[in-house]
Amino acid sequence: MDVLRKHANLIVALILVAFFAVNMLVSSQESTITDEKAHIPAGYSYVRYGDMRLNPEHPPILKDLSGLALLPLQPEFPLDSWEWQEGINEQWTLGDKFINCTAPEQACNDADLITFVSRIPIILVAVILGAFLYFWTRELAGTLAGLLALTLYAFDPNIIAHSHYVTTDIGIAAFMFFAFYFFVRFLKDPSPKNIFWSGIFFGLAQLTKFSAVLLLPIFGLFVILYALATPKPVGSSLSTWLFKLREIFFLGLKFLLSLVIAFVLIYIVYYPHTINMPGEKLSEVAHVMFPDYGLGPWAKSVIDATYGSDILKPFVEFILGVFMVFGRVSGGNTYYFLGTVSNQASPWYFPVVFLLKETLPFLFLLVATTLYTLYRIGKSLSEARLRRINDFWHFLGQSFRSRIAQYLALFFILFYAFISITGNLNIGFRHLFPILPFLYLLIAKTVSDALKRIQNDAWRHVAWSLIGILMLCVMAIPVISYPSYLSYFNAAFGGHTNGYRYVTDSNYDWGQDLKRVRNFVDTHNACVASEETDAALCQKAVGTLPPIDAIRVDYFGGSSPAWYLGDRFLPWRSSNMPEVGWYALSINFLEESLHRESTPEDPTYSWLKDIQPVARAGDSIFIFYIPVVPGADQEN
């Protein structure tokens, strides 16, 4: 153990370098995913043109980082297109023109290069989060706890999967975690320095994703609770409640000052994003996106009254995004889950997906440390010999102030999980990412505390051996499952080859495997033409099947099949009548088609229900060869 402590910084550096390298490698292998088609062109337009008309439903800071990375490439942007000039938030069409070369009037950008370069800043944010997790956990519980927390983070296949996508998921996990750290420092010492940094990182969280607005009630509540838990100094002439009211007032006043700093930062960041943006675009988006009920009419009237002011325009843009997110959440989404297709949220979605997607060693540690924590709470209460209610409040106040980081982390985990479970947006495990760093921290601290309390040398040796075995399992999982990180499911539920049976979308199929369709087609055709000399590869790819001159593609993602497949690509939908030939079907569309409610007359992929794919491109795109149209032989 002393060796680990002595070389801890080197170990941290090696873990983070390996984490960075794996993300870069996997990123180079994967095609543009669904959300990136909107986020990447939006970020580039922000930093190059000072115009935030695209993708206002997400704050700009992460997209800015990706846009800045693209600036040296000077890619062509469809400024003269109708979608940019006259369209209303035409982010998907502009994404196709910017990334996927669907604008014949402009020079083509390299889709692979655009996507790869724009992802690098997101990977760096993920690396910084890993380092920050290590240092905060070390600060709370020591070096070994810090190493344990970092290992749980950096070797989680789900974290690796999303650490190289231009989306908000890993970014909001990072900036919320940073905001909590500086808020804890503010509570312990509300000095001008800590007020400033708490405000800055609260603002940065708001600039990452609008769900960070949840921090406001959480932080406000903990300001009050921390002030209430402040013990009255001996000799104070104030009554207990008057003293506590005074503490609430002054700490609350300092918290309000940090919020002012946060919103000043928000304004400063949004100002250059709207400086060249026509104000009427705000009104146009509001009238298209907001409903005519609930807050919709009020939101539209507010934006209509303020969009013409250049001074107010940054805040109007911010408010527009907030209302768009509320509308998105209330509207729900269509998703496949456990054999059903629905657009009504299920309260079982996130608990089940969490159990399916997280690794078995992590789940074991989560259950074990939770039970141990409950045991320690019970033991502490019994040892405290609390005879009066005042004794209990005094005990709780002392515990709360001395363990404020743990209380805050636990409250956030429970609160955020409750909001997710009761919300109306079942869109993927990635939406639980904000709670993961806190789970790693609490698990690592609890394990460290438990090990320190073991007095018997033999039991200590057994405990350390068990933790060592668990950590080796944690580190082995991403090695074994490489490169199937987005489609990762733990072994208890069939692993990455079978996870699609339970749930799809960004849990399994987000468009990451289109490059692998091209690779399959090229390899298969080379084998048919005897240009490929690897017999095992050709046997797997070819069998006795004919070459692929055309392949029918029903693709869920952000890339362009035409970019990768050229004239071999045939666009396809479940509504098309089956034909003889080759098919490449995204499992997201396939599962939704097979399991949604339909009548016998509705065109679906039901004719494929009993037909096995001949191959897969990665995990998420199923390759079929249909030699005879199903039912045609019976008809003839």
Side-chain angles (χ1 to χ4, degrees):
M1 298 308 107
D2 290 337
V3 174
L4 291 177
R5 291 189 181 94
K6 182 178 180 180
H7 300 289
N9 289 339
L10 176 60
I11 295 170
V12 170
L14 290 174
I15 290 174
L16 292 177
V17 167
F19 179 77
F20 177 83
V22 169
N23 269 285
M24 292 287 282
L25 181 60
V26 176
S27 176
S28 69
Q29 297 169 0
E30 293 185 339
S31 46
T32 314
I33 61 163
T34 301
D35 286 18
E36 287 181 315
K37 187 164 73 170
H39 288 211
I40 292 173
Y44 185 69
S45 68
Y46 298 171
V47 298
R48 185 168 182 185
Y49 304 114
D51 192 319
M52 200 178 166
R53 70 183 67 184
L54 298 180
N55 198 239
E57 61 265 39
H58 293 293
I61 193 166
L62 293 171
K63 291 174 284 184
D64 286 348
L65 296 176
S66 292
L68 289 170
L70 291 176
L71 279 180
L73 301 180
Q74 291 294 297
E76 292 290 330
F77 192 85
L79 279 179
D80 296 329
S81 66
W82 176 89
E83 288 81 7
W84 178 263
Q85 296 289 336
E86 305 294 336
I88 300 173
N89 194 24
E90 294 284 346
Q91 52 191 354
W92 305 106
T93 305
L94 282 165
D96 267 328
K97 291 187 173 184
F98 180 63
I99 301 172
N100 295 322
C101 196
T102 60
E105 70 278 4
Q106 75 176 56
C108 284
N109 297 314
D110 185 326
D112 288 341
L113 182 62
I114 291 287
T115 301
F116 180 77
V117 171
S118 66
R119 288 172 172 174
I120 294 174
I122 308 302
I123 300 175
L124 293 175
V125 169
V127 169
I128 293 169
L129 173 56
F132 205 94
L133 174 63
Y134 165 74
F135 286 113
W136 192 8
T137 309
R138 186 184 70 175
E139 183 180 304
L140 291 173
T143 300
L144 294 177
L147 290 173
L148 175 58
L150 175 60
T151 301
L152 292 173
Y153 168 82
F155 291 89
D156 188 330
N158 301 289
I159 294 293
I160 298 172
H162 290 271
S163 292
H164 56 267
Y165 295 144
V166 186
T167 62
T168 57
D169 303 305
I170 200 70
I172 190 57
F175 281 98
M176 275 192 171
F177 195 70
F178 304 157
F180 271 87
Y181 174 79
F182 285 99
F183 177 67
V184 169
R185 294 189 62 171
F186 159 78
L187 288 178
K188 292 181 176 180
D189 176 21
S191 63
K193 175 184 174 182
N194 288 335
I195 291 171
F196 175 79
W197 287 113
S198 178
I200 289 295
F201 279 92
F202 182 90
L204 288 173
Q206 308 306 313
L207 289 165
T208 305
K209 194 170 185 176
F210 288 119
S211 59
V213 72
L214 294 174
L215 297 185
L216 185 57
I218 296 172
F219 286 6
L221 173 63
F222 271 75
V223 164
I224 295 171
L225 293 177
Y226 197 82
L228 287 173
T230 303
K232 187 177 75 169
V234 176
S236 172
S237 60
L238 296 174
S239 68
T240 299
W241 282 106
L242 189 59
F243 170 78
K244 292 186 182 297
L245 287 173
R246 190 185 72 172
E247 288 295 305
I248 292 173
F249 175 77
F250 284 110
L251 190 60
L253 197 62
K254 293 173 182 178
F255 176 61
L256 286 176
L257 181 57
S258 73
L259 293 183
V260 170
I261 293 170
F263 280 96
V264 169
L265 176 64
I266 291 170
Y267 184 89
I268 291 172
V269 170
Y270 264 83
Y271 183 80
H273 290 81
T274 58
I275 193 168
N276 295 325
M277 177 180 173
E280 57 269 17
K281 287 291 180 183
L282 296 166
S283 177
E284 291 173 359
V285 172
H287 280 271
V288 169
M289 302 299 297
F290 296 167
D292 293 326
Y293 54 86
L295 293 175
W298 179 80
K300 284 186 278 191
S301 63
V302 169
I303 290 172
D304 285 342
T306 54
Y307 75 79
S309 169
D310 288 339
I311 294 176
L312 294 177
K313 195 162 53 173
F315 276 136
V316 177
E317 177 77 16
F318 180 77
I319 293 169
L320 173 71
V322 172
F323 279 116
M324 288 182 71
V325 169
F326 286 148
R328 174 78 174 89
V329 172
S330 64
N333 64 287
T334 299
Y335 64 100
Y336 167 76
F337 176 57
L338 299 182
T340 63
V341 177
S342 176
N343 62 358
Q344 298 300 312
S346 167
W348 293 105
Y349 181 87
F350 283 110
V352 170
V353 168
F354 185 87
L355 291 175
L356 294 171
K357 293 283 289 177
E358 265 302 351
T359 67
L360 295 178
F362 173 83
L363 293 174
F364 173 82
L365 284 170
L366 179 60
V367 172
T369 53
T370 299
L371 293 175
Y372 178 78
T373 300
L374 293 174
Y375 161 74
R376 287 297 306 170
I377 291 172
K379 186 175 182 181
S380 297
L381 288 171
S382 65
E383 291 176 349
R385 300 179 183 275
L386 307 174
R387 295 182 175 86
R388 297 174 302 174
I389 189 66
N390 285 343
D391 294 338
F392 173 76
W393 288 119
H394 179 71
F395 171 83
L396 184 61
Q398 284 186 320
S399 174
F400 183 80
R401 287 180 65 86
S402 62
R403 298 177 176 86
I404 183 60
Q406 295 96 298
Y407 276 96
L408 188 57
L410 179 60
F411 180 86
F412 175 68
I413 290 168
L414 296 176
F415 179 74
Y416 192 89
F418 173 78
I419 294 295
S420 300
I421 290 169
T422 58
N424 195 39
L425 201 61
N426 289 169
I427 206 167
F429 177 57
R430 61 192 175 94
H431 277 202
L432 293 181
F433 273 24
I435 69 174
L436 293 185
F438 295 97
L439 287 173
Y440 303 140
L441 183 152
L442 292 179
I443 288 172
K445 187 179 188 311
T446 304
V447 168
S448 177
D449 291 346
L451 291 172
K452 291 174 184 176
R453 291 190 179 99
I454 299 175
Q455 301 298 319
N456 183 280
D457 289 341
W459 281 110
R460 185 184 298 113
H461 180 74
V462 170
W464 274 110
S465 298
L466 176 60
I467 295 301
I469 292 170
L470 284 171
M471 289 303 100
L472 287 175
C473 292
V474 167
M475 290 186 284
I477 286 171
V479 176
I480 296 170
S481 58
Y482 173 87
S484 300
Y485 298 132
L486 183 69
S487 54
Y488 175 81
F489 280 68
N490 64 52
F493 297 97
H496 62 87
T497 58
N498 293 298
Y500 71 91
R501 301 181 187 274
Y502 303 100
V503 64
T504 55
D505 207 285
S506 61
N507 301 296
Y508 198 88
D509 172 17
W510 218 6
Q512 73 274 15
D513 286 327
L514 189 60
K515 276 189 185 181
R516 296 180 174 112
V517 174
R518 177 198 61 192
N519 296 343
F520 172 83
V521 171
D522 290 344
T523 301
H524 178 84
N525 287 344
C527 290
V528 171
S530 301
E531 297 172 1
E532 175 61 60
T533 58
D534 188 330
L537 180 66
C538 285
Q539 180 62 33
K540 180 180 178 182
V542 181
T544 58
L545 300 177
I548 304 173
D549 299 319
I551 186 165
R552 296 151 186 83
V553 180
D554 193 0
Y555 167 67
F556 175 71
S559 290
S560 167
W563 168 264
Y564 289 110
L565 296 168
D567 57 10
R568 297 172 297 188
F569 162 60
L570 291 177
W572 202 256
R573 293 290 181 268
S574 61
S575 57
N576 293 27
M577 297 301 293
E579 299 176 353
V580 171
W582 287 93
Y583 294 78
L585 308 179
S586 286
I587 193 61
N588 189 54
F589 287 148
L590 187 57
E591 289 292 270
E592 286 188 7
S593 176
L594 291 175
H595 292 94
R596 70 171 181 252
E597 292 185 7
S598 61
T599 64
E601 294 76 25
D602 290 336
T604 68
Y605 284 128
S606 58
W607 56 277
L608 281 172
K609 191 172 183 178
D610 298 320
I611 299 176
Q612 292 299 313
V614 299
R616 286 198 200 181
D619 290 310
S620 67
I621 300 180
F622 282 32
I623 309 293
F624 294 89
Y625 178 71
I626 306 299
V628 178
V629 174
D633 50 346
Q634 290 89 339
E635 292 176 8
N636 294 332

